[in-house]
Every structure is written in C-alpha cells, then in structure tokens.
Amino acid sequence: MGLTVYSGREMQMTAKGSIFLTTRQALDAVCMDFRSYEPQIMLFSEVLRVISNGDAIIKRERGKEGRWVAARHGLKMVWFDGPALGEYVCRALNEHAPDLEIITSVCSRVFQTHAYTATDSATGLPGVCIETGMENFACQQCGNCCNSLDYRDALGAEDVAGWKRMGRRDILEHVQILDRNYPAKAYRIWVKPGTHELADRCPFLEHMPTENRWTCCIHDVKPSICRDYPVSRKHGMMTGCPGFNQK
Ligand code: SF4
Ligand code: SF4
C-alpha cells in the first residue's frame, strides 16, 4: 500500500482544505483511488448504481469477493472479482462521460467528503471542488506511516537537490540512484550507506518509548512524500493514519 493516492501536481489548491479538479482530473482521481487500495467493492457497486442511474443490476455471491453485474435488465450477468469490478466501473465512467453533477456525487462518495461543482477562475474550465478534510487532521506521532507504508521509491528529485544544496551528506548516504540513464533520475530511500540494501526502517525515525511516540529527526527537511502525507482524510483513513479520529 503506497503513501500517494494521486498526483498533487495535477491539482490546484483552492480554498483552505479543498482541491479543484477539472472534469478529466476528477475522473482520473476516482480511478486512481480505485487502484490505490484493497478493492472497495461496496463503493464500486454504489458508484456503478449512481452512474447508471439505477439501471445496473448488481448481485453478490455468498463467500466470494466481487459482484455479478449486468449493465441493465435483460442483459447477461457477468462476474467481476474485486479489482476487475473497479476497472469495469472506471471504464463505465470514462465511456459514458456522466454529467458534472453525477461526477461530483461520485467524488463525494469516493473521497468520503463534501464535493461541489465549480469553475476554474483562471481557465474557465468546469470541474469539482473536493474538500480534503485536512483541517481536522492532527498527527498523533504513532509512527504508522513511517514504519508501515511503502514510500521507498517515491523520493523526488527536488528533495535530493535540496539535500545537496544543504550539504546533507548524512541524508544522501541513505539514498540510492535507481537508473542513471533515465533523464529524470529515480531514487530509493532508505538504503544502508555504501550498499543498495534497504534499511529495516527509516534511519531518521526515532522511538520515544516513555511517551510511546515516534519522531522524525529531519522533520524540517524530510522528503515531500513524508511532508505531504496524508493528502486527504480518505487517504489517511485508508492507510491506517489515526490523525482524523480525534475530532
Ligand atoms: S500515521 Fe498519521 S498520525 Fe501516525 S505518525 Fe503518520 S501522519 Fe502522524
Ligand atoms: S523522513 Fe521522517 S517522516 Fe519520513 S519516514 Fe523518516 S522519520 Fe518518517
């Protein structure tokens, strides 16, 4: 399970705690959400009902993870397991191009938050504003994200450039360049210095046993993948972050 759900580069922050997505970006974000976690079969079914205007016939089978689906009454039912059901709903979303009100309703369900139709003031493009819920986030320093999530190959070139500028050899010695020939280099963290062997965990994660807290020793210069986590309430809830449970 990864730290990222969708690319922040493709999104524009609008009012505090909300993100504007064009119609195209909203559809891409929904499909990316579907592929980012364990299959969300109840959600896939709900979205299919919404975009088919209630025409889709969806049936479960006891003991099996998936659904029988027919696009409408009279058509043959087809079985989809969890991931295949997600892909089927993504295809339906992209092929049937639902109107913006329906896409907004889908976003609200998928991202478990308030969403509303909006127009981008710069481009005039129609889209959806999605509240992130981040105003209700407070890090509990439980260490789950640092200890459990898979972010090792998500280091950005900007992070590496910044550490080079600052002369942070102590951090850089834990970074591996994955492909020297590719124009945009890829990096891996955290490796044991002088090797390509992954460290058991981030070398800058410190446990404070008396308080049962975990702290980051490079908090001010930590990688953007860490700084940006979680990107939304849904992202946090789906990846085991308890930072939204306190409100
Ligand atoms: S999982 Fe959430 S609450 Fe726990 S350390 Fe990470 S950001 Fe903080
Ligand atoms: S750099 Fe900091 S936030 Fe990122 S994994 Fe290490 S301890 Fe956690």
Side-chain angles (χ1 to χ4, degrees), residues 146-164:
C146 308
N147 277 308
S148 309
L149 300 184
D150 177 13
Y151 54 86
R152 300 290 191 128
D153 291 349
L155 185 65
E158 307 80 18
D159 296 311
V160 176
W163 293 332
K164 282 183 178 163

Side-chain angles (χ1 to χ4, degrees), residues 33-58:
D33 179 282
F34 284 4
R35 293 168 187 142
S36 294
Y37 310 114
E38 293 298 309
Q40 305 166 77
I41 293 172
M42 301 274 284
L43 175 67
F44 298 161
S45 305
E46 192 181 341
V47 170
L48 189 54
R49 279 195 192 89
V50 170
I51 61 179
S52 72
N53 211 11
D55 286 348
I57 313 298
I58 305 166

Side-chain angles (χ1 to χ4, degrees), residues 122-144:
T123 63
L125 286 171
V128 185
C129 242
I130 302 169
E131 294 183 358
T132 64
M134 288 305 294
E135 66 278 9
N136 293 323
F137 171 70
C139 179
Q140 305 301 305
Q141 296 186 299
C142 70
N144 179 65

Side-chain angles (χ1 to χ4, degrees), residues 157-169 172 177 185 187:
E158 307 80 18
D159 296 311
V160 176
W163 293 332
K164 282 183 178 163
R165 272 197 308 278
M166 289 181 266
R168 293 300 302 259
R169 294 173 59 88
L172 290 166
I177 299 174
K185 284 179 187 166
Y187 302 93

Side-chain angles (χ1 to χ4, degrees), residues 100-203:
L100 191 53
E101 294 291 341
I102 290 182
I103 293 173
T104 304
S105 169
V106 167
C107 285
S108 181
R109 286 170 161 83
V110 170
F111 300 115
Q112 301 175 8
T113 186
H114 181 53
Y116 49 95
T117 58
T119 303
D120 182 19
S121 54
T123 63
L125 286 171
V128 185
C129 242
I130 302 169
E131 294 183 358
T132 64
M134 288 305 294
E135 66 278 9
N136 293 323
F137 171 70
C139 179
Q140 305 301 305
Q141 296 186 299
C142 70
N144 179 65
C145 50
C146 308
N147 277 308
S148 309
L149 300 184
D150 177 13
Y151 54 86
R152 300 290 191 128
D153 291 349
L155 185 65
E158 307 80 18
D159 296 311
V160 176
W163 293 332
K164 282 183 178 163
R165 272 197 308 278
M166 289 181 266
R168 293 300 302 259
R169 294 173 59 88
D170 59 323
I171 303 177
L172 290 166
E173 67 182 3
H174 295 282
V175 175
Q176 176 194 352
I177 299 174
L178 286 178
D179 184 356
R180 289 175 189 277
N181 300 321
Y182 190 64
K185 284 179 187 166
Y187 302 93
R188 171 168 291 159
I189 52 174
W190 301 106
V191 295
K192 296 177 183 171
T195 76
H196 290 171
E197 199 183 329
L198 282 175
D200 292 338
R201 68 173 192 229
C202 171

